[in-house]
Amino acid sequence: MNEQFHVLNDAYRSLLSRTSPSKMSSHELASSMFTCVSELTLDASDGSHSQHQDQSRDPLTSSNYSPNPNGTELACLVLTLVEKISSKLTSQQLSQETSLYFKDVSTVLFHYMDFMSKLVHLACCKDRLLSHLAAKSVSSYVIFELRCFNTVNQIWEWKCLQVLQNRCSCNELDACTWSLTTVLKAVLKETSEYKPGTLEKLLATFDTALTAAYSQLVPVESLGHGNSASYPSSNTADWATTLTNLLDLLEVLTAARFKLSTTSVCFTSSRLSLIQASALLRIVHSHVHYFVKKQVLLLLKRILLQKAGEDMGFGEGSSLTHGDDHMTSDILTLADDVLQAVHTDWLQCVPVESVAFFFGGTEQLCGGSSDAFDHVMLRAVSLVVLKSLEYKIQSAGEKGVCNTIGIHGYLSALLLFLSQRGVQLKQGSHSCCWVSLVFGEQDDDMMEAAKALLLLYLHHRVSSDLEADAACVVGGNPHCHFLFLLRSISFDHSILLDFLISTETCFLEYFVRYLKHLRDDWEGFRTVCQKIDGSDRCKLSWKISQKDDQLLDNLREELQQSLCVSRGSVSTSSHSGGSVTNVDPEPAPCLQPSLCLPSGSATALASTPPLRLVDYGSSEESETEDGDLPSGLKQDRLHSDSVVHTHNSHSFDRTVMCLTELRVVVTRLQRRSLFPYNATSLLKLLTQIEAKK
């Protein structure tokens, strides 16, 4: 046993150093590896693959299986070595001599010793470590054959089809779905490295079996308030793992569809997450672990955002609305399922737990706040509902959205859900701040939500003459959303510039659409600024009226702390050789809109200039920004942060100045060909808005 260990260890170290073992031939190494694995399966009969085998006598599937620890360790080393050999050969990272040596080892094992059958059997055993290492070894070799020889391993294919088409144990399901997901991921990540048609061939092979497996693994009860779906397994932990693997596979299948959407090929298994989304929605109020429900909603969110597989490194796919012949109808089916679920009070069944304060934890640390709810879950639910409404509106208009409640009703239901799950608005706050509260930690999701709400508002206003006040009731006024965004970044135009340049969010699309709306509804924005600033003053007045000087002292301390932590809360501007100290009365950039100083009530505090993400005017060749500002706005810039107000509200003045400064910087970058795209249309909009001041 020790001799075998030294042989395997020497081979592994040689492979890592990209050399061949000098003490044995390739046939000797292959024989030693085969022996170590065979000893674990020695008691298994030759008919181990038969459906009629008595599994109670199989040491690898029996619950009381207890292998020799030394034998298990050797087997694990062999499995790791096999996986590493296949990976190195696939990536062609070895020298010619070393590559030939390990190709011989692989050929002897898999072509002359039927090693794949042993690995597949190990992959389905109850020992989680052995099962996972065996599944990795199997998948690695399948990828090697696909890439180098354009062939699909028949033993692996047969086993996966058998497991998917029949009611098998969770261990077998887990191994096969994980392995199939891994192989598909590898092909999707490096499609150009495989022969054309490889992905289509894989999908065609497993299409029917995957469709059958999906129908077996998802809930069968009808959706309804108070009903909970059940699963054919008493071990909820094992079943949660199985569902997690299935959801990963569904995302890969959906990403594969996006990848192939320019062709006429469309497989049923790649459509499942869209055309049978109602089954996935049932998982959310079933008796499975919370993380599985969360994974379901994150999957639906990524599909609706056209980002399926993005976290897996597949790159960008085609648009949902510009794919194969079924794409448009399938996305509408998904949107219908979501909206129908919301209409039947599905949101009331969606759980949102408190945030775990440590990795993998389920309990809070001592002293942890019970109000720290899972914002990842809140964002996922919100975007699933908003994007479903957006797609439905774009396709069928207002009539396509359940006439019984309409857009206003769905937004009301969403706001109710959020308020019941911890998004509480304090006295004097504005309902539209829910976007900042929920999405404040995730810029890309916030922009998607703001864009969807803007489209819904514009459509609803045209179709039903929606008033701004009515939109604010359900948190759907785009003017409020934009103002809260500016307040959260302390009206720093350089951060807006970062958003415009970045490709990680849809800010450019949202910003252009909003600027058009702002241009057409200038007075509406002015009114919103006045109301929100007035609301801040009311909160301050309410606190001041609370009794005595001690409370006033506490309030002053609170305000000073808020100013200190706010980005750009206090700045010093130079003018005519002197120094003018400006105080920013805006709230700190936290999730909850907070206090705002009223006119003339603050004491000026000296501090450093506001921090910016990037100093776009720091180069020696750059002109000063004031040189590009209109003369009428230069003086306004000096006092835009001061507590002295004109007839406009403070937020209104700062917004105008922020957009003006943004226009100046974009113009300068565009003039020097430093802007990443043609900003002519954007600059035209900014100029039109600037002229309205």
Side-chain angles (χ1 to χ4, degrees):
M1 194 74 73
N2 289 333
E3 181 180 353
Q4 286 180 313
F5 174 79
H6 289 300
V7 167
L8 296 172
N9 188 50
D10 178 63
Y12 186 75
R13 290 179 179 275
S14 297
L15 180 61
L16 293 181
S17 61
R18 302 183 182 183
T19 60
S20 306
S22 57
K23 298 180 181 179
M24 67 177 70
S25 67
S26 58
H27 287 255
E28 290 173 334
L29 176 59
S31 178
S32 179
M33 293 169 68
F34 182 81
T35 301
C36 292
V37 172
S38 297
E39 288 178 352
L40 275 181
T41 59
L42 189 61
D43 294 334
S45 64
D46 292 338
S48 60
H49 294 298
S50 172
Q51 297 183 32
H52 303 290
Q53 179 190 4
D54 182 6
Q55 293 188 356
S56 64
R57 297 184 179 182
D58 189 341
L60 293 177
T61 56
S62 173
S63 59
N64 59 4
Y65 165 57
S66 178
N68 186 316
N70 291 330
T72 302
E73 291 173 0
L74 285 176
C76 289
L77 182 54
V78 170
L79 295 175
T80 303
L81 182 57
V82 170
E83 189 271 334
K84 189 65 69 175
I85 289 174
S86 298
S87 298
K88 293 289 186 182
L89 292 176
T90 301
S91 60
Q92 301 178 350
Q93 296 179 356
L94 304 175
S95 65
Q96 184 176 2
E97 178 185 354
T98 305
S99 179
L100 287 174
Y101 178 90
F102 285 108
K103 278 184 179 179
D104 286 342
V105 173
S106 183
T107 300
V108 171
L109 281 172
F110 289 98
H111 289 267
Y112 299 108
M113 294 183 173
D114 193 26
F115 195 58
M116 179 60 77
S117 296
K118 300 289 185 182
L119 294 182
V120 166
H121 188 53
L122 275 177
C124 298
C125 72
K126 283 186 175 293
D127 187 303
R128 288 289 186 182
L129 179 59
L130 281 173
S131 175
H132 182 65
L133 290 176
K136 288 184 65 177
S137 301
V138 168
S139 304
S140 183
Y141 184 74
V142 170
I143 293 169
F144 167 66
E145 283 195 318
L146 265 176
R147 184 163 171 176
C148 298
F149 306 108
N150 192 36
T151 59
V152 179
N153 187 276
Q154 294 300 302
I155 297 175
W156 172 78
E157 177 186 321
W158 176 85
K159 183 62 177 179
C160 288
L161 289 173
Q162 180 201 42
V163 170
L164 292 172
Q165 290 173 336
N166 300 282
R167 291 183 176 274
C168 299
S169 66
C170 286
N171 299 323
E172 293 176 298
L173 275 173
D174 294 346
C176 288
T177 53
W178 188 91
S179 180
L180 182 56
T181 301
T182 302
V183 172
L184 289 172
K185 279 183 180 180
V187 178
L188 278 169
K189 283 182 178 179
E190 299 179 298
T191 306
S192 60
E193 300 295 332
Y194 295 82
K195 187 174 180 179
T198 300
L199 182 59
E200 292 92 325
K201 181 169 63 175
L202 280 173
L203 293 174
T205 299
F206 295 102
D207 188 50
T208 303
L210 286 170
T211 304
Y214 182 87
S215 63
Q216 293 178 14
L217 295 175
V218 294
V220 295
E221 285 82 0
S222 60
L223 186 64
H225 181 65
N227 294 333
S228 295
S230 59
Y231 291 89
S233 174
S234 57
N235 191 329
T236 56
D238 287 345
W239 199 249
T241 302
T242 301
L243 285 175
T244 297
N245 289 332
L246 174 67
L247 293 171
D248 286 338
L249 180 55
L250 284 175
E251 181 166 7
V252 172
L253 291 171
T254 306
R257 181 185 184 181
F258 295 164
K259 202 84 169 181
L260 298 174
S261 61
T262 55
T263 69
S264 59
V265 180
C266 183
F267 299 98
T268 303
S269 57
S270 298
R271 301 174 61 196
L272 289 173
S273 54
L274 282 81
I275 62 177
Q276 295 190 23
S278 58
L280 295 176
L281 293 171
R282 294 184 193 118
I283 295 178
V284 177
H285 66 95
S286 63
H287 299 301
V288 296
H289 287 291
Y290 177 72
F291 71 85
V292 178
K293 303 176 182 182
K294 187 173 180 178
Q295 187 178 359
V296 168
L297 288 166
L298 289 174
L299 170 61
L300 294 177
K301 184 190 89 168
R302 285 192 287 267
I303 292 174
L304 289 165
L305 294 179
Q306 307 175 29
K307 295 181 179 180
E310 184 182 65
D311 294 340
M312 301 175 183
F314 298 155
E316 293 184 1
S318 298
S319 170
L320 287 175
T321 54
H322 296 85
D324 54 62
D325 295 339
H326 302 283
M327 191 72 82
T328 300
S329 61
D330 287 356
I331 191 63
L332 290 178
T333 300
L334 169 56
D336 278 335
D337 287 341
V338 171
L339 297 180
Q340 181 60 34
V342 175
H343 185 56
T344 55
D345 290 336
W346 170 78
L347 285 175
Q348 299 304 312
C349 304
V350 178
V352 178
E353 295 183 356
S354 298
V355 177
F357 286 87
F358 47 94
F359 180 77
T362 58
E363 297 180 1
Q364 295 182 0
L365 295 175
C366 294
S369 171
S370 60
D371 295 330
F373 287 93
D374 188 351
H375 279 72
V376 174
M377 190 70 154
L378 293 176
R379 288 194 293 269
V381 174
S382 300
L383 278 174
V384 166
V385 174
L386 291 177
K387 295 299 291 186
S388 295
L389 280 170
E390 179 184 339
Y391 282 118
K392 198 65 178 174
I393 287 297
Q394 290 176 337
S395 172
E398 177 74 15
K399 293 182 179 178
V401 182
C402 270
N403 289 328
T404 51
I405 58 177
I407 297 175
H408 192 280
Y410 283 109
L411 293 181
S412 297
L414 179 58
L415 204 61
L416 176 62
F417 161 78
L418 293 172
S419 65
Q420 293 174 340
R421 300 303 191 278
V423 184
Q424 299 294 337
L425 302 178
K426 298 180 181 180
Q427 180 175 351
S429 295
H430 202 290
S431 296
C432 292
C433 72
W434 75 268
V435 177
S436 296
L437 286 165
V438 174
F439 295 99
E441 299 176 356
Q442 200 73 30
D443 292 338
D444 53 348
D445 285 353
M446 176 186 287
M447 301 312 167
E448 290 286 356
K451 185 187 73 171
L453 286 165
L454 173 60
L455 293 175
L456 293 176
Y457 174 84
L458 293 176
H459 178 88
H460 199 183
R461 188 180 65 165
V462 171
S463 62
S464 60
D465 195 25
L466 178 68
E467 295 292 338
D469 289 342
C472 287
V473 171
V474 292
N477 191 328
H479 288 316
C480 300
H481 302 151
F482 184 67
L483 181 56
F484 282 125
L485 170 64
L486 292 183
R487 287 161 63 115
S488 70
I489 62 173
S490 297
F491 295 87
D492 189 344
H493 71 279
S494 65
I495 298 180
L496 293 183
L497 182 62
D498 289 332
F499 285 150
L500 284 173
I501 294 175
S502 173
T503 59
E504 297 179 358
T505 74
C506 65
F507 181 74
L508 174 61
E509 181 183 359
Y510 158 71
F511 192 49
V512 170
R513 290 185 178 183
Y514 175 73
L515 289 180
K516 292 179 180 179
H517 173 54
L518 178 60
R519 177 193 60 191
D520 299 336
D521 188 29
W522 187 248
E523 291 304 318
F525 180 73
R526 190 194 301 271
T527 301
V528 164
C529 291
Q530 292 171 345
K531 287 185 177 180
I532 292 181
D533 285 357
S535 175
D536 291 331
R537 295 189 187 100
C538 286
K539 285 185 288 184
L540 181 66
S541 299
W542 179 78
K543 284 195 173 185
I544 290 179
S545 64
Q546 294 295 307
K547 289 191 182 179
D548 53 25
D549 294 338
Q550 181 61 44
L551 182 60
L552 185 57
D553 292 339
N554 293 338
L555 178 59
R556 287 173 179 152
E557 182 179 353
E558 177 185 345
L559 290 171
Q560 186 170 351
Q561 291 175 353
S562 178
L563 288 170
C564 290
V565 300
S566 176
R567 288 177 298 180
S569 60
V570 183
S571 64
T572 303
S573 302
S574 297
H575 180 61
S576 302
S579 178
V580 180
T581 303
N582 304 318
V583 179
D584 181 0
E586 294 305 320
C590 56
L591 291 179
Q592 177 65 49
S594 64
L595 296 173
C596 218
L597 290 173
S599 298
S601 65
T603 301
L605 299 173
S607 183
T608 58
L611 294 176
R612 290 178 175 172
L613 297 181
V614 180
D615 187 358
Y616 294 97
S618 61
S619 65
E620 294 180 0
E621 298 179 358
S622 300
E623 306 99 341
T624 61
E625 289 186 17
D626 283 352
D628 291 312
L629 284 172
S631 58
L633 288 176
K634 292 179 182 178
Q635 186 65 23
D636 289 345
R637 181 180 183 182
L638 295 173
H639 300 287
S640 63
D641 296 337
S642 68
V643 296
V644 179
H645 290 263
T646 63
H647 64 282
N648 293 324
S649 70
H650 179 76
S651 295
F652 181 87
D653 289 337
R654 296 206 65 192
T655 299
V656 171
M657 180 55 61
C658 178
L659 295 178
T660 300
E661 291 177 327
L662 178 64
R663 194 266 307 161
V664 169
V665 175
V666 173
T667 299
R668 186 164 63 246
L669 294 176
Q670 175 93 337
R671 188 166 57 240
R672 297 174 180 175
S673 300
L674 297 176
F675 208 66
Y677 51 84
N678 189 341
T680 303
S681 299
L682 174 62
L683 290 172
K684 182 179 179 180
L685 281 170
L686 289 171
T687 302
Q688 291 173 347
I689 291 171
E690 188 177 316
K692 286 182 173 292
K693 184 181 187 297

